[in-house]
Amino acid sequence: MKGEICVIGGGMSGITTALEAAESGAKVYLVEAGWSLGGRIAGLARYFPKMCPPTCGLEINYRRLKRNPNILVYTGADVVDVTKDGGRFEVAIRKRPRFVNSRCTACGECVNVCPVERVSDFDYGLKKTKAIYLPHAMAYPFIYAIDMQACKGNECSKCVQACKYGAIDLGEREETFKIKVSSIVVATGFTPYDASKLQNMGFGKYEDVITNLMMERLLAEDGPTNGKLLRPSDMTPPKRIVFVQCAGSRDRNHLPYCSAVCCGGTLKEALIAREQVPDAQITIFYIDRRVMGRNEDVLAKVEADANTKFVRGKAVKVEKGANGLVVEAEDTKTGQKLRTEADLVVLAVGLVPNTSNLPAMVKQNLDEFGFVLSSNGIYGAGCVSAPQVVATCMQQATGAALKALVWGSKAL
Amino acid sequence: MERKVCVFICSGCGISEAFDVSKVEEASKEATPRPAVVKVDPCLCGDDGFLAMSKVIEEEKPTHVVIGACSQRLFQDRFSWNGVFVERVNLREHCAWSHEPQDVGTLELAQDLMRMGIAKCGKAEMPEPHVEEPSETVLVIGGGISGMTAALYAADAGYGVVLVEKDDKLGGFARNIYKTYPSAPPYDKVAENPVSGLIERCETNPRIKVLLGTTIDEISGAPGKFSVKAGGKEFMVGAIVVATGFRPYDIKKLTHLGGGVLPDVVGSDKFEEMLMKGDVRRPSDGREVKKVAFIQCAGSRDKEHLPYCSGTCCLTSLKQANLFVNSGEDKEAYIVYKDIRTPAQHERFYEAMQNDPRIMLAEGTVKGVMKSDGVVRVEVENSPTLTNMQIDADLVVLALGKVPNSDGPILNLTYRKGKELPTLKYGFPDSNFICFPYETERTGIYTCGCVRQPMDMASCMEDAAGAAMKAIQCIYATSRGAAVHPRAWDMSFPEFFLQRCTQCKRCTEECPFGTLDEDAKGTPMPNPTRCRRCGVCMGACPERIVSFKDYSVQIISDMIKAIHVPEEFEEKPRYVGFICENDAYPALDLAGLNHLKYSPLVRFIPVRCLGSVNRVWIADALSRGIDGVLLIGCKFGDDYQCHFIKGSELCNKRMENVQEDLNRLALERERIKLVQLAINDYQKLPQIVNEFVESVNALGMNPYKGF
């Protein structure tokens, strides 16, 4: 099918829409704000229910991407404006400077000499990298980037001197350019809800109170602990783990909707934690356990685990006790108030759609929660459209490619 | 055209620090086939290096180029020239970065890797695509919400559609749905059923031909040219979408909940019909129903019935409760549940129903359903400490799960591998892959809607768009001679030298996608457009008659023969490792990126899938004095990761048969090892490789060196 589409967002959903459209004959501009494709799933340890690693699907998609001349990928790029131009859209893109260009061979010599450390946002603050860094193990493009806020710039320049390939340009400027497309697919994904907004839950106060996405980094082989589940405070394996479901979700004071994936996420993390710490006591505080379809399998596996307890009740407070952290909750089945001790508390926070940075024309059609609603020529794909599991994101992203192409064929 | 090989070796990124590049250059100059040119450059990907390389290529006009540098996963678009076969040799991640610098083992590895890469150019050719002009019509089987939506999308995209429906009218199960729960803002009110609009659009669309009261008699052919016989008609289509939907779980199997036993216990499908009629009365005595009790997960999430969750019953019951309590005065609904599953924005609808005082929700386990004095009594245990709850209702509705209509006959394929789509767990002809939901085991045949996975109407319509996209894409790929997912770029296809075929039927049986049919004698009849280019057939053939232009038994054998095997007295063991391109190769890259070091004795050969590994390669390696063979590929088993379904599993099985070869050569079985690996397991690689090398070294050298 002919046509040109712009996909905003290069996570798994955006990549999928781009590939499905391009492999059907269309031309695609894939615009990613971060330094690498892959989005949030690149930081996950596994997918449920198969317990398979995200790297597998990413690698296959990267292979398809590399061999497809119909897809142009821009990273460090924002869509700053979209205007109508007859039956088409004119999209203005701003490419921010990475300060490292395509001459980079990922040899890593620059890292050895860089004197500055910065907090890694990819690892949700659990790790530091140098100011010049490779975005992650499955980076696409596979080149480094500089965090200019941490970098000392020209007064240092050690990386420039160390680089044999002339790949670093500390003076790089941003570029702006325009493209014309027949339709747009928005696949900008989500940001996890800010857990520090959850009063009394201890996030930001106690190091061992973390979010579900931070837990993924602790379990991922390329994470700050090389995949070993260790408490951030003292690097020891946690013996008592508490998961708090619906942390700031289904809650009028925070996110009123349900984020659909956190139940499955916790169950998956509980299974990996069990493998790593065979005698750990795991407690999961929940309201409903929402694993639909074949994802039910992962619930069945956790229910069969003798050392994992499910308690129907919302956890309301996390504080420090004499013997570690203490989670206060009510067991709605017995009416009892519980105080459960924990070495590690995982808050399963919800997903907030990334729409605030989108230009007006693209974000004109949002629902009350901020999720993108599809309309003429502008389609949502993935978690920016609704919180959903990866498999459903893939389904929607594939469909979005067709919707975008059909719209385009009419506009031409 | 005369074969001409140009070789380029990059010495950048620490390569020259790891070994003496001039010695690798020497080894390359003496390799077979003899290269016309061997050039070393300090940075092939840099502007100067690339320019210099391009100039040489322009002047020499080689047919083959070998680049010894970084991973083949990098600079793919850069290092490519029209019509030139390019072979990438990994001297960086797999050599310089993962072994001791200046160690003689590292140098010898680099030399062998170059020899192997050059040897590949001896027989490898650029593939010539097998192009067919495909039919631009899509067959959709099933005229419900999913099928109709898929048909409309395909038609809108400019394709012809034949929509086959077994009933005498379109609409499927949705015809019996009164109203649907909301999927659009404000998410809190029941919505209209889209089915009648879809029916009208399908019936009036000039590109859609609707065949009612029709089922498929037979489908033969392949993507781009499926020949379909249905309802007395015969026609060609390019791709197929199966959208045969679901049926509710058989209520008669739920006797423990009164199903099929008590007349006033009905299924959710029957209750929807009652609501549609507008007059809800007890089946037993015709009395008006004032109080309804819903039992959720009736026969779902239950090992004795449906082990999975159908995902839609919670919202359906909430919707039905809403419709019911608004259908008259003094109506009440109770919903007994284990978990209420109203994900994402659907939570709004749950909230709205919770706020309705006429709808009561009770969490607990149903202990019994019995007749009691003109009502149906539901006994619920909801707390270990309190006594059971009793709900007396006029009518009990069992929220029934969805069973996919996947048990044939649906397609009636004339394929040797079977008439229907293989199903996954629980009877769903779904993809095993979370990342690739439409990747079924039969090329060009896609599924959508409730036959693929239980889902609601809005999701069915989204799913249909996805399946229609894949169907269209398949037709387009066929027109170019390209494979479909995952090797979407691959223009090669397997050729069969049938004169030497012994009709052993291994290829026709083992092809995971049913690409090969058989004639009466058992000779394979390939269907190139069904092929995913994995090479499992090539791995299966004991006579080695299957080959791709750029990937064949001979080509890999030449690579093995190019390895320099030192004499026994030198005490330098040598190993060959077959690594799957999908997971093992990238894992080795990551190990190199992290400078994890391991034994330099293994020469890795990338393969498309472990399933394409032919037994003769093992025999060749061992009979030349190679001490052992390591095979690293993707996980197999229930939750398999192998992208060609059974590739690595078949390899594992075949390796057991390789024992015969080992016995014949009087060699130990431990010299062959297969390891399952995912990319994220890269940190285990040093241990895997070193343990293998150590354990085989302990067996002693292969006595066949120097033969």
Side-chain angles (χ1 to χ4, degrees):
Chain A
M1 289 192 73
K2 297 274 178 286
E4 282 146 11
I5 65 176
C6 176
V7 179
I8 311 177
M12 199 61 174
S13 298
I15 293 171
T16 298
T17 296
L19 285 169
E20 301 304 342
E23 286 172 8
S24 305
K27 183 160 180 194
V28 182
Y29 299 91
L30 180 54
V31 183
E32 163 59 37
W35 297 122
S36 167
L37 298 182
R40 294 269 164 214
I41 57 97
L44 297 182
R46 300 283 188 275
Y47 289 148
F48 59 86
K50 280 183 74 188
M51 307 301 282
C52 49
T55 44
C56 176
L58 253 189
E59 174 67 22
I60 288 181
N61 278 348
Y62 283 173
R63 254 186 124 185
R64 289 160 76 190
L65 266 175
K66 287 171 194 171
R67 303 287 205 119
N68 199 317
N70 289 340
I71 305 174
L72 290 173
V73 178
Y74 301 105
T75 52
D78 308 304
V79 169
V80 291
D81 199 15
V82 172
T83 49
K84 277 244 124 176
D85 178 22
R88 310 176 89 214
F89 295 99
E90 189 176 78
V91 180
I93 296 171
R94 175 183 61 217
K95 224 164 89 69
R96 284 172 273 112
R98 179 193 283 256
F99 308 104
V100 177
N101 59 40
S102 58
R103 294 197 199 103
C104 172
T105 63
C107 70
E109 288 298 318
C110 50
V111 174
N112 294 337
V113 302
C114 176
V116 178
E117 278 194 338
R118 38 81 78 178
V119 172
S120 163
D121 47 350
F122 181 73
D123 294 283
Y124 301 100
L126 288 169
K127 185 171 140 175
K128 291 210 170 95
T129 70
K130 295 292 183 76
I132 189 166
Y133 63 103
L134 186 67
H136 52 76
M138 294 292 284
Y140 185 119
F142 201 69
I143 61 180
Y144 281 60
I146 293 181
D147 180 350
M148 215 12 113
Q149 296 195 323
C151 173
K152 292 202 164 111
N154 286 314
E155 67 176 55
C156 168
S157 293
K158 290 202 170 69
C159 55
V160 180
Q161 290 151 25
C163 179
K164 297 193 188 96
Y165 308 107
I168 302 174
D169 174 9
L170 295 178
E172 187 186 339
R173 291 253 154 104
E174 75 174 32
E175 257 180 68
T176 53
F177 57 96
K178 293 195 172 123
I179 55 174
K180 278 206 175 66
V181 296
S182 38
S183 31
I184 295 173
V185 176
V186 184
T188 49
F190 70 93
T191 299
Y193 188 68
D194 182 359
S196 58
K197 292 199 173 126
L198 304 172
Q199 285 146 343
N200 302 327
M201 295 310 282
F203 184 78
K205 195 167 171 194
Y206 308 117
E207 251 186 297
D208 297 323
V209 176
I210 61 174
T211 63
N212 39 8
L213 285 172
M214 290 164 77
M215 182 64 160
E216 294 288 327
R217 296 312 296 143
L218 292 176
L219 298 170
E221 284 84 352
D222 65 337
T225 56
N226 288 328
K228 286 215 124 14
L229 180 55
L230 300 170
R231 307 169 73 207
S233 62
D234 63 3
M235 291 287 130
T236 61
K239 294 285 188 193
R240 300 163 302 177
I241 308 172
V242 170
F243 289 90
V244 175
Q245 294 315 103
C246 302
S249 291
R250 302 177 64 183
D251 186 332
R252 230 158 269 181
N253 299 320
H254 300 281
L255 301 178
Y257 53 88
C258 157
S259 283
V261 307
C262 339
C263 284
T266 285
L267 292 167
K268 164 197 43 162
E269 289 161 16
L271 286 173
I272 306 174
R274 170 62 62 224
E275 266 175 50
Q276 288 225 19
V277 192
D279 57 344
Q281 293 297 319
I282 300 176
T283 310
I284 303 177
F285 290 108
Y286 73 96
I287 309 174
D288 294 285
R289 292 160 309 178
R290 294 185 164 178
V291 272
M292 282 69 70
R294 68 190 199 194
N295 295 329
E296 181 73 27
D297 289 349
V298 83
L299 174 60
K301 283 199 188 121
V302 179
E303 280 181 324
D305 181 273
N307 285 337
T308 300
K309 219 169 46 158
F310 283 97
V311 179
R312 192 158 188 271
K314 223 179 158 174
V316 294
K317 193 175 188 178
V318 178
E319 54 188 8
K320 201 148 192 155
N323 201 12
L325 295 165
V326 178
V327 181
E328 229 179 74
E330 188 194 338
D331 181 342
T332 56
K333 285 204 203 242
T334 60
Q336 270 188 308
K337 278 208 166 32
L338 298 175
R339 286 176 63 79
T340 306
E341 289 185 338
D343 300 314
L344 183 69
V345 177
V346 183
L347 304 176
V349 294
L351 321 183
V352 180
N354 288 336
T355 49
S356 46
N357 286 341
L358 291 171
M361 174 163 295
V362 178
K363 69 175 182 194
Q364 64 187 350
N365 225 345
L366 304 179
D367 72 10
E368 67 186 277
F369 306 119
F371 292 97
V372 167
L373 296 166
S374 294
S375 62
N376 298 337
I378 303 178
Y379 304 96
C383 288
V384 78
S385 167
Q388 49 195 315
V389 297
V390 176
T392 320
C393 286
M394 301 299 96
Q395 169 193 325
Q396 192 183 33
T398 308
L402 184 55
K403 290 178 195 173
L405 291 177
V406 165
W407 174 265
S409 68
K410 291 184 175 147
L412 283 169
Chain B
M1 205 172 138
E2 180 82 26
R3 197 172 297 264
K4 190 175 194 183
V5 182
C6 285
V7 177
F8 301 93
I9 300 173
C10 186
S11 59
C13 288
I15 288 174
S16 59
E17 285 87 327
F19 50 80
D20 184 346
V21 180
S22 68
K23 296 217 165 80
V24 176
E25 187 186 357
E26 252 173 66
S28 304
K29 285 190 172 141
E30 289 159 20
T32 310
R34 191 58 50 95
V37 167
V38 178
K39 285 233 177 311
V40 178
D41 191 285
C43 178
L44 280 175
C45 63
D47 295 334
D48 295 338
F50 184 72
L51 203 63
M53 181 164 61
S54 301
K55 232 173 140 198
V56 171
I57 291 173
E58 218 182 277
E59 284 164 9
E60 297 287 334
K61 298 193 178 20
T63 53
H64 295 70
V65 164
V66 179
I67 299 178
C70 50
S71 166
Q72 69 188 24
R73 293 159 67 235
L74 299 172
F75 303 119
Q76 273 176 12
D77 48 353
R78 210 137 197 246
F79 293 168
S80 89
W81 297 269
N82 222 351
V84 180
F85 184 92
V86 177
E87 176 65 12
R88 299 285 297 274
V89 174
N90 194 327
L91 294 179
R92 192 181 77 163
E93 289 88 334
H94 294 190
C95 189
W97 283 3
S98 42
H99 301 98
E100 279 308 315
Q102 298 307 326
D103 185 59
V104 69
T106 310
L107 171 64
E108 288 174 349
L109 173 62
Q111 290 173 318
D112 269 346
L113 288 175
M114 286 309 295
R115 290 180 186 121
M116 288 155 68
I118 294 167
K120 196 164 184 196
C121 298
K123 301 235 170 42
E125 307 283 353
M126 292 294 279
E128 282 152 27
H130 172 101
V131 173
E132 307 226 6
E133 210 182 306
S135 155
E136 301 229 319
T137 302
V138 177
L139 169 67
V140 179
I141 306 176
I145 294 275
S146 305
M148 290 194 289
T149 305
L152 287 166
Y153 272 116
D156 270 353
Y159 290 76
V161 181
V162 179
L163 177 55
V164 169
E165 165 56 46
K166 74 173 198 293
D167 266 356
D168 59 358
K169 36 188 182 298
L170 291 173
F173 190 87
R175 274 206 320 271
N176 303 323
I177 293 181
Y178 180 30
K179 292 203 196 285
T180 174
Y181 52 82
S183 290
Y187 302 114
D188 58 2
K189 288 183 195 42
V190 161
E192 292 307 314
N193 183 345
V195 72
S196 41
L198 288 170
I199 293 175
E200 213 217 302
R201 287 172 60 199
C202 279
E203 284 173 345
T204 56
N205 190 306
R207 290 208 186 99
I208 301 178
K209 186 171 174 143
V210 180
L211 299 178
L212 294 171
T214 306
T215 54
I216 307 289
D217 296 320
E218 187 185 273
I219 298 179
S220 58
K225 49 180 189 180
F226 286 112
S227 178
V228 183
K229 289 191 179 125
K233 298 184 170 50
E234 221 175 300
F235 50 91
M236 296 284 276
V237 301
I240 301 169
V241 175
V242 173
T244 48
F246 76 98
R247 54 189 185 273
Y249 188 65
D250 185 358
I251 193 176
K252 292 198 284 295
K253 295 202 168 115
L254 303 173
T255 53
H256 63 292
L257 297 172
V261 174
L262 298 177
D264 299 315
V265 173
V266 301
S268 39
D269 52 335
K270 186 91 180 79
F271 191 58
E272 187 83 19
E273 281 173 31
M274 291 172 162
L275 289 167
M276 205 142 100
K277 282 205 188 78
D279 191 19
V280 183
R281 295 191 169 272
R282 283 159 54 89
S284 60
D285 55 17
R287 195 177 81 216
E288 193 195 356
V289 175
K290 288 287 195 187
K291 197 159 149 186
V292 170
F294 293 86
I295 299 180
Q296 297 311 107
C297 304
S300 291
R301 303 174 61 184
D302 187 338
K303 284 192 183 60
E304 309 289 314
H305 300 277
L306 301 178
Y308 54 90
C309 157
S310 287
T312 55
C313 332
C314 284
L315 281 157
T316 299
S317 293
L318 287 165
K319 169 202 77 176
Q320 289 181 337
N322 175 261
L323 290 168
F324 174 71
V325 300
N326 285 320
S327 69
E329 298 279 308
D330 305 319
K331 306 258 185 186
E332 273 186 339
Y334 279 82
I335 302 180
V336 181
Y337 68 92
K338 288 190 219 167
D339 295 281
I340 289 283
R341 294 179 167 178
T342 57
Q345 292 97 325
H346 291 303
E347 185 68 21
R348 232 322 157 257
F349 189 62
Y350 180 33
E351 232 179 52
M353 296 308 111
Q354 280 176 306
N355 289 337
D356 188 329
R358 302 165 294 178
I359 301 177
M360 280 140 293
L361 294 126
E363 187 261 340
T365 317
V366 172
K367 284 298 182 192
V369 178
M370 58 220 89
K371 210 157 76 163
S372 163
D373 267 345
V375 291
V376 184
R377 174 164 290 174
V378 180
E379 196 175 311
V380 181
E381 180 192 270
N382 53 10
S383 160
T385 50
L386 304 170
T387 45
N388 289 351
M389 197 174 133
Q390 279 173 348
I391 304 171
D392 288 341
D394 300 313
L395 186 74
V396 168
V397 177
L398 302 184
L400 300 172
K402 295 176 143 108
V403 178
N405 288 338
S406 56
D407 32 359
I410 302 170
L411 292 158
N412 274 318
L413 297 165
T414 58
Y415 287 22
R416 178 244 188 269
K417 281 282 276 190
K419 294 187 171 177
E420 301 296 331
L421 276 176
T423 57
L424 264 199
K425 268 189 192 177
Y426 312 140
F428 292 95
D430 194 358
S431 160
N432 175 51
F433 302 103
I434 289 169
C435 304
F436 309 103
Y438 300 105
E439 217 170 281
T440 59
E441 289 183 40
R442 297 289 177 263
T443 308
I445 305 177
Y446 303 95
T447 57
C448 68
C450 293
V451 74
R452 184 172 85 71
Q453 263 183 39
M455 54 180 84
D456 59 29
M457 287 202 273
S459 303
C460 281
M461 292 169 71
E462 291 271 1
D463 205 27
M469 176 85 275
K470 296 304 277 186
I472 288 168
Q473 198 185 81
C474 178
I475 293 173
Y476 178 67
T478 306
S479 72
R480 294 168 53 234
V484 295
H485 43 70
R487 295 185 65 90
W489 61 84
D490 200 336
M491 299 283 190
S492 70
F493 60 93
E495 292 169 286
F496 292 73
F497 190 64
L498 290 172
Q499 285 93 309
R500 287 213 338 257
C501 174
T502 59
Q503 286 84 24
C504 74
K505 301 191 197 179
R506 256 168 247 190
C507 61
T508 60
E509 174 56 41
E510 292 180 354
C511 171
F513 307 104
T515 297
L516 308 169
D517 292 326
E518 264 171 30
D519 70 7
K521 285 209 306 260
T523 315
M525 290 159 45
N527 295 277
T529 60
R530 291 187 207 167
C531 179
R532 306 267 178 107
R533 328 299 156 96
C534 59
V536 165
C537 51
M538 186 171 99
C541 184
E543 297 302 315
R544 283 101 61 197
I545 72 166
V546 188
S547 64
F548 297 79
K549 281 237 158 30
D550 57 350
Y551 182 59
S552 71
V553 173
Q554 192 63 66
I555 290 171
I556 306 293
S557 288
D558 286 349
M559 289 174 82
I560 296 170
K561 292 193 181 98
I563 298 171
H564 187 239
V565 181
E567 300 282 346
E568 191 167 346
F569 68 84
E570 290 185 63
E571 298 196 4
K572 283 183 179 178
R574 288 289 180 261
Y575 298 92
V576 163
F578 292 103
I579 49 173
C580 164
E581 286 177 349
N582 301 307
D583 274 346
Y585 190 107
L588 278 167
D589 275 1
L590 284 178
L593 179 77
N594 287 286
H595 295 279
L596 304 178
K597 304 231 179 335
Y598 48 90
S599 166
L601 300 177
V602 186
R603 280 89 179 98
F604 287 115
I605 297 178
V607 293
R608 292 185 182 182
C609 174
L610 279 194
S612 67
V613 173
N614 192 290
R615 181 170 158 177
V616 78
W617 297 342
I618 320 285
D620 276 356
L622 294 172
S623 58
R624 283 202 66 230
I626 303 272
D627 296 276
V629 177
L630 180 61
L631 302 118
I632 310 180
C634 307
K635 185 169 164 204
F636 52 88
D638 280 340
D639 280 330
Y640 61 87
Q641 284 297 91
C642 173
H643 238 81
F644 303 107
I645 321 297
K646 286 219 172 308
S648 53
E649 186 180 315
L650 284 166
C651 183
N652 191 46
K653 228 178 277 178
R654 291 173 193 157
M655 287 310 111
E656 288 162 22
N657 297 338
V658 159
Q659 296 310 316
E660 284 171 39
D661 295 325
L662 289 165
N663 291 340
R664 186 169 45 82
L665 296 167
L667 290 171
E668 304 85 336
R669 66 185 300 137
E670 291 79 10
R671 292 188 184 267
I672 319 277
K673 186 166 184 187
L674 188 145
V675 171
Q676 297 171 70
L677 193 86
I679 298 178
N680 57 301
D681 290 327
Y682 65 90
Q683 288 168 33
K684 299 189 185 137
L685 272 165
Q687 189 183 6
I688 291 170
V689 176
N690 290 342
E691 265 176 19
F692 171 71
V693 165
E694 275 158 36
S695 65
V696 182
N697 280 353
L699 299 170
M701 295 276 210
N702 182 337
Y704 290 95
K705 292 183 198 287
F707 271 69

